[in-house]
């Protein structure tokens, strides 16, 4: 082929060339609908990445995947001993089942939040070299937390039974509750993923935020019984994490109930945060390559 | 510079040769005057004075990686991209693939250009087999597609005996071979390869160059960034010489490689 048929600079009309050959612009953000379709088509990547990351993280330790269960079990033991003694008579009824549900579920939510924060910045080379909907990365962080929490939930149920609770049909209500938790955590993961991209310092704040949530979500104490300031009680009660714990305990631990309002508020938080997270994350899609 | 012949390197910091166009062929990539400026916080004190591409704004330094690059790639083109370190080659490739947002200008393409960068998706603690699956998924292949191509990928990389071992036990050449094999297993309309063929032994190099020519011979086009003039002369019909963020020369691979090698003080021997 000949390369000598060059025209001068004046003869170069990029827009005309591009439109004549039906070329499309590269690097523009797809419409939300196409974006989600693309995501659905490539979800296998998020799942496989989650599974393999989990496998790789324990490949070298001799206890392997057992660590995902041993660490939370130790935590429950330590918190149970410390707060059980500290709170003494102010302990919530059925303290051990109360504490186990709190710690296991909180572990999952905060795990999604913190792993989500690292999902884009921690995979910078992936983001810089391959083209895929970036939402796959924070979603993969959620998937790997789900894989980690499933054996933990099994253990949680066994623990609850060992401490005097009996399985009943009521337990089934935990399933929709866990679905709400997953939706909420996915939203939280997406929000923290974009947040860290804009502001690397967000990572430094994360442990602080999760600590505050840990103490204010009624993991080991009863907000409804111990807070006597009306408005503060409402605020703490309707904190989404607390709502999901209230519902979980109402379905798994005897002596606790959830009001219809708890379900409504919990669902509103879950769908609201998840939807906001998706849209807000998508709106920066074309920028993730630059900021990381 | 008044000479409009594109096959002459231009001088001066901001002069670029006219954009090469060919009315007879179908363009697949049109790059229209793109600029990319990196804004970085400088932590050190010293910056070479007189470096025109670094501007100071307090502690914020601006590095102009691309200062207005235009080019057109046609069907069947395989374009070598050459230039010294820091001339903007990788930035240009990332901008063309849409992975790096550009400040001004635009890139048009017949389909989204894919970067041969599958290595980033790999997890070194896991076996080669799992990495083939993960790399394939990252490239957008389906699980069935990967299964179909699995044997071909493994044999092309020549690592059948080691496929069940963790990737961290592989030699660096084996890893590079596996990366190339995964990425090249898929059909790409527009493929961008950044320094991939420098690795591997003679035999692998020959096979991968053949595969590259095959990929380019379809309706698509291939960009190859390399410091190896031999790789570029063997695989490319065209070459672009980037210098300090602008196109210094755009012409046949022979012309451009010869001019570049001469400018580097190491003329090509025919």
């Amino acid at each position: 082929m000949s390369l000598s048929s060059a025209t001068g600079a004046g003869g170069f009309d990029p827009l005309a060339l591009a439109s004549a050959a039906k070329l499309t612009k590269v690097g523009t953000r797809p419409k939300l609908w196409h974006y989600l379709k693309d995501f659905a088509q490539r979800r296998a990547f998020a799942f496989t990445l989650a599974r393999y990351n989990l496998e790789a993280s324990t490949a070298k330790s001799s206890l392997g995947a057992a660590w995902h269960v041993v660490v939370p079990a130790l935590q429950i033991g330590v918190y149970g001993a410390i707060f059980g003694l500290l709170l003494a008579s102010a302990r919530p009824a059925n303290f051990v089942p109360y504490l186990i549900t709190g710690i296991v579920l909180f572990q999952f939510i905060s795990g999604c939040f913190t792993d989500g924060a690292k999902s884009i910045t921690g995979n910078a080379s992936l983001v810089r070299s391959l083209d895929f909907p970036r939402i796959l990365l924070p979603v993969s962080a959620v998937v790997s937390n789900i894989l980690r929490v499933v054996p933990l939930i099994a253990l949680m149920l066994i623990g609850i039974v060992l401490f005097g609770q009996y399985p009943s049909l009521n337990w089934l209500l935990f399933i929709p509750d866990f679905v709400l938790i997953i939706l909420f955590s996915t939203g939280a993961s997406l929000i923290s993923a974009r947040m860290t991209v804009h502001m690397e310092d967000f990572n430094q704040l994360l442990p602080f935020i999760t600590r505050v949530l840990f103490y204010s979500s009624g993991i080991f104490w009863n907000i409804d019984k111990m807070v006597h300031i009306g408005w503060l009680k409402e605020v703490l009660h309707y904190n989404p994490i607390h709502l999901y714990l209230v519902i979980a305990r109402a379905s798994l631990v005897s002596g606790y109930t959830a009001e219809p309002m708890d379900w409504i508020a919990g669902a509103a938080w879950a769908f609201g945060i998840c939807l906001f997270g998706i849209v807000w994350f998508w709106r920066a899609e074309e920028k993730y390559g630059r900021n990381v | 510079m008044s000479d409009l012949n594109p096959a002459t390197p231009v001088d001066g910091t901001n002069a670029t040769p006219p954009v090469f166009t060919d009315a007879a062929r179908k363009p697949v990539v049109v790059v229209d005057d793109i600029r990319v400026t990196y804004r970085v916080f400088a932590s050190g004190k010293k910056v070479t004075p007189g470096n025109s591409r670094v501007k100071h704004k307090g502690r914020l330094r601006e590095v102009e990686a691309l200062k207005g690059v235009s080019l057109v790639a046609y069907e069947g083109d395989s374009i070598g991209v050459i230039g010294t370190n820091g001339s903007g080659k990788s930035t240009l490739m990332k901008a063309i693939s849409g992975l790096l947002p550009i400040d001004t200008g635009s890139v048009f393409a017949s389909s989204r250009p894919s970067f041969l960068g599958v290595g980033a998706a790999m997890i070194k603690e896991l076996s080669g087999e799992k990495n083939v699956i993960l790399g394939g998924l990252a490239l957008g292949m389906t699980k069935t597609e990967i299964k179909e191509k699995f044997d071909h990928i493994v044999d092309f990389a020549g690592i059948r005996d080691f496929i069940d071992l963790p990737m961290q036990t592989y030699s660096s050449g084996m890893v590079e071979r596996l990366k190339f094999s995964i990425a090249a297993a898929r059909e790409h309309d527009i493929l961008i390869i950044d320094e991939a063929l420098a690795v591997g032994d003679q035999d692998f190099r020959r096979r991968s160059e053949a595969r590259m020519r095959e990929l380019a011979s379809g309706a698509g086009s291939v960009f190859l960034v390399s410091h190896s003039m031999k790789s570029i002369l063997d695989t490319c019909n065209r070459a672009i010489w980037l210098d300090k963020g602008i196109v210094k020369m755009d012409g046949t691979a022979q012309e451009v490689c010869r001019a570049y090698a001469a400018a580097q003080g190491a003329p090509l021997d025919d």
Side-chain angles (χ1 to χ4, degrees):
Chain A
M1 65 204 81
S2 144
L3 282 172
S4 54
S5 57
T7 48
F12 174 60
D13 184 351
L15 294 176
L17 259 180
S19 69
K22 295 198 182 62
L23 306 185
T24 49
K25 202 167 168 179
V26 173
T28 48
R29 166 159 39 101
K31 295 246 186 318
L32 184 56
W33 172 241
H34 292 286
Y35 186 64
L36 293 177
K37 236 169 58 185
D38 200 13
F39 160 72
Q41 264 165 19
R42 300 188 62 172
R43 63 187 185 278
F45 176 52
F47 293 131
T48 310
L49 183 65
R51 209 149 46 88
Y52 286 176
N53 265 332
L54 211 58
E55 207 175 301
S57 70
T58 49
K60 275 188 194 152
S61 68
S62 47
L63 263 181
W67 276 116
H68 296 310
V69 171
V70 173
V71 171
L74 286 172
Q75 255 176 347
I76 291 168
V78 172
Y79 287 128
I82 294 176
F83 295 120
L85 289 173
L86 264 180
L87 292 167
S89 60
R91 274 199 303 258
N94 287 322
F95 183 60
V96 176
Y98 187 96
L99 184 72
I100 295 178
T101 45
I103 288 187
V104 168
L105 297 179
F106 184 82
Q107 176 99 15
F108 172 72
I109 298 171
S110 68
C112 292
F113 187 56
T114 40
D115 292 353
K118 288 175 226 137
S119 63
I120 300 287
T121 49
N123 285 310
S125 58
L126 200 54
V127 172
R128 283 203 199 108
S129 55
L130 288 171
D131 161 41
F132 55 85
R134 305 307 183 206
I135 196 172
L136 286 166
L137 292 175
V139 167
S140 168
V142 173
V143 173
S144 100
N145 272 285
I146 293 177
L147 295 174
R148 236 179 297 172
V149 85
V150 165
L152 217 53
I153 287 180
L155 209 74
M156 168 181 101
L157 297 178
I158 294 171
I160 290 175
V161 171
L162 287 179
F163 281 88
Q165 304 297 313
Y166 291 101
S168 67
L169 275 182
N170 220 18
W171 278 34
L172 291 178
L173 284 176
F174 178 65
I175 296 170
D177 185 41
F178 191 57
V179 171
L180 293 183
I181 293 178
I182 291 176
L183 285 176
F184 175 79
S185 307
T186 306
S189 166
L190 292 172
I191 292 169
S192 67
R194 178 168 170 187
M195 202 86 120
T196 340
V197 171
H198 290 313
M199 198 173 60
E200 192 73 43
D201 315 40
F202 185 63
N203 256 330
Q204 309 295 328
L205 275 178
L206 267 179
F208 177 72
I209 296 173
T210 49
R211 251 331 72 174
V212 169
L213 289 172
F214 182 80
Y215 289 112
S216 62
S217 301
I219 310 288
F220 53 85
W221 58 294
N222 194 329
I223 289 177
D224 297 324
K225 288 239 170 76
M226 288 178 77
V227 180
H228 300 295
I229 309 163
W231 64 268
L232 186 62
K233 189 172 171 171
E234 295 290 303
V235 169
L236 290 177
H237 181 86
Y238 285 105
N239 151 15
I241 300 176
H242 179 247
L243 287 173
Y244 302 133
L245 295 186
V246 165
I247 298 172
R249 284 163 186 153
S251 45
L252 300 173
V253 185
S254 62
Y256 292 91
T257 51
E259 304 300 322
M261 196 52 209
D262 295 333
W263 279 98
I264 295 170
W269 270 114
F271 286 100
I273 291 290
C274 186
L275 224 66
F276 173 79
I278 291 173
V279 173
W280 195 60
F281 184 87
W282 159 77
R283 287 179 63 94
E285 176 72 7
E286 74 278 20
K287 295 187 190 121
Y288 293 124
R290 186 63 167 271
N291 288 14
V292 293
Chain B
M1 197 147 177
S2 57
D3 186 3
L4 289 184
N5 179 5
T8 333
V10 290
D11 293 317
T13 24
N14 283 311
T16 56
V19 175
F20 165 76
T21 53
D22 180 352
R25 286 190 295 156
K26 187 178 178 303
V28 284
V29 179
V30 174
V31 176
D32 174 21
D33 194 29
I34 57 173
R35 283 159 205 277
V36 173
T37 304
Y38 293 109
R39 282 166 199 88
V40 274
F41 279 107
S43 45
K45 248 190 346 193
K46 185 170 171 282
V47 169
T48 327
N51 185 339
S52 62
R53 294 206 293 158
V54 183
K55 284 181 186 155
H56 307 244
K57 282 187 182 170
R59 280 183 64 209
L60 196 65
R61 304 270 153 78
E62 291 192 339
V63 182
E64 295 178 281
L66 295 178
K67 301 192 290 189
V69 170
S70 299
L71 62 97
V72 184
Y74 291 93
E75 246 176 35
D77 255 352
S78 117
I79 302 176
V81 181
I82 54 181
T84 52
N85 293 132
S87 55
K89 301 185 299 289
S90 293
T91 304
L92 177 62
M93 294 303 110
K94 300 227 147 138
I96 289 178
S97 65
L99 293 164
L100 181 92
I102 45 191
D103 294 316
T104 62
S106 29
V107 177
F108 302 91
S110 58
S111 68
R112 175 114 187 210
S114 37
F115 211 85
L116 195 138
V118 66
M122 296 177 144
I123 301 176
K124 63 179 188 346
E125 287 87 359
L126 298 181
S127 67
E129 181 188 351
K130 287 183 171 166
N131 275 301
V132 171
I133 297 171
L134 192 61
L137 288 172
L139 280 173
M141 292 194 242
T142 63
K143 283 202 165 159
T144 20
E145 236 179 300
I146 298 170
K147 238 175 239 151
E148 276 166 28
K149 289 180 175 162
F150 186 82
D151 288 321
H152 177 74
I153 292 172
V154 174
D155 290 333
F156 193 94
I159 54 161
R160 178 149 307 269
D161 296 343
F162 312 101
I163 197 66
D164 53 340
L165 295 181
M167 221 175 69
Q168 59 197 352
T169 62
Y170 291 13
S171 74
S172 53
M174 282 158 73
V175 173
E176 293 302 322
R177 264 154 42 194
L178 185 58
K179 284 186 201 169
F180 180 86
S181 311
I182 297 170
R186 219 195 88 188
E187 295 302 320
H188 304 266
D189 284 344
I190 303 161
L191 181 63
I192 297 171
I193 303 172
D194 198 344
E195 289 288 356
L197 303 184
V199 298
D201 41 40
Q202 209 62 45
D203 176 52
F204 180 75
R205 227 175 106 161
R206 194 176 40 73
R207 279 185 296 138
S208 54
E209 286 177 357
R211 175 65 184 141
M212 256 191 61
R213 275 191 295 268
E214 203 176 295
L215 285 167
S217 69
S221 138
V222 172
F223 290 87
L224 170 67
V225 177
S226 181
H227 286 290
S228 157
M229 294 303 120
K230 191 179 176 310
S231 271
I232 288 186
L233 289 171
D234 285 352
T235 40
C236 302
N237 64 315
R238 219 176 121 188
I240 287 171
W241 174 5
L242 276 185
D243 186 47
K244 293 177 184 144
I246 55 166
V247 175
K248 200 176 172 78
M249 190 176 175
D250 182 349
T252 63
Q254 284 82 0
E255 289 169 337
V256 178
C257 285
R258 180 161 296 134
Y260 177 70
Q264 296 291 302
L268 291 181
D269 37 275
D270 298 71

